[in-house]
Amino acid sequence: VFHNWRPPYHIAGQLHMTMTAVVCGGCVALLPTFSTSRFRDEVRQHGCTVLCGMAATLHFISSLETESSDAVLPLRVGIIGGIPAELHDRFERRFGMWLGENYGMTEIDPITLPRPGHRPPRGSCGLPSPDVEIAVHDPDGSALPPGALGEIVVRSRSREALMDGFED
């Protein structure tokens, strides 16, 4: 059961939560907005097992006063973009859940995916999605070796994933 407060017209609400739930045979608790104060009650009421969001979501939830029931909430998995390294382990312990990190953008998402059982180094955004090719390039557009600083470039493995342009 996905705790979904993101609008279904946005890629996060549409793909990350609604379509993922449909594909895996899950459910979506569609909430009107994110509420820090109502978070625990919503998770309990709807039996939410999956949390999706970004770093701010974790900060808001972490700001709640700790309760002994935090670790027994039904939450099992969180897919979060940009998890702060100092918050990752502490959040997992407090809420008794596994957090995976991903990276993407509306135009081509997801670029990276967490893999249950795989623990990338803290601050890593996971492994490349099988649907894309990823490289790091210098300012001239040349590929750089692993570990070098540069611009992340992504190419879909499917020609249908992005629009080529307009035809007359």
Side-chain angles (χ1 to χ4, degrees):
V1 178
F2 286 73
H3 182 268
N4 185 11
W5 46 271
R6 291 173 155 183
Y9 58 79
H10 187 270
I11 192 77
Q14 184 183 99
L15 176 66
H16 291 185
M17 298 185 194
T18 305
M19 292 311 297
T20 302
V22 168
V23 168
C24 73
C27 298
V28 176
L30 187 56
L31 304 158
T33 186
F34 179 79
S35 169
T36 305
S37 63
R38 291 192 313 265
F39 175 75
R40 286 184 185 113
D41 290 338
E42 291 169 349
V43 166
R44 283 186 201 101
Q45 177 186 352
H46 300 291
C48 296
T49 56
V50 181
L51 171 67
C52 294
M54 51 262 169
T57 311
L58 296 186
H59 282 294
F60 293 145
I61 296 168
S62 292
S63 73
L64 291 167
E65 191 169 320
T66 301
E67 292 182 1
S68 59
S69 64
D70 285 348
V72 295
L73 287 172
L75 291 170
R76 294 192 318 242
V77 175
I79 307 300
I80 308 293
I83 302 172
E86 71 280 358
L87 185 55
H88 199 138
D89 292 332
R90 189 174 69 223
F91 195 93
E92 284 183 328
R93 281 191 307 275
R94 177 176 172 183
F95 291 96
M97 62 188 298
W98 179 84
L99 290 179
E101 190 160 2
N102 74 328
Y103 174 75
M105 60 188 83
T106 298
E107 296 81 3
I108 185 164
D109 190 59
I111 294 171
T112 67
L113 295 168
R115 304 287 202 286
H118 175 261
R119 273 285 183 206
R122 292 294 181 245
S124 167
C125 57
L127 299 169
S129 163
D131 299 326
V132 299
E133 297 174 37
I134 302 175
V136 176
H137 285 193
D138 66 18
D140 297 323
S142 299
L144 293 169
L149 296 178
E151 179 181 11
I152 298 171
V153 295
V154 180
R155 177 173 44 211
S156 173
R157 295 183 191 277
S158 168
R159 286 190 36 81
E160 290 80 28
L162 294 173
M163 186 174 88
D164 286 336
F166 294 100
E167 291 186 26
D168 292 332

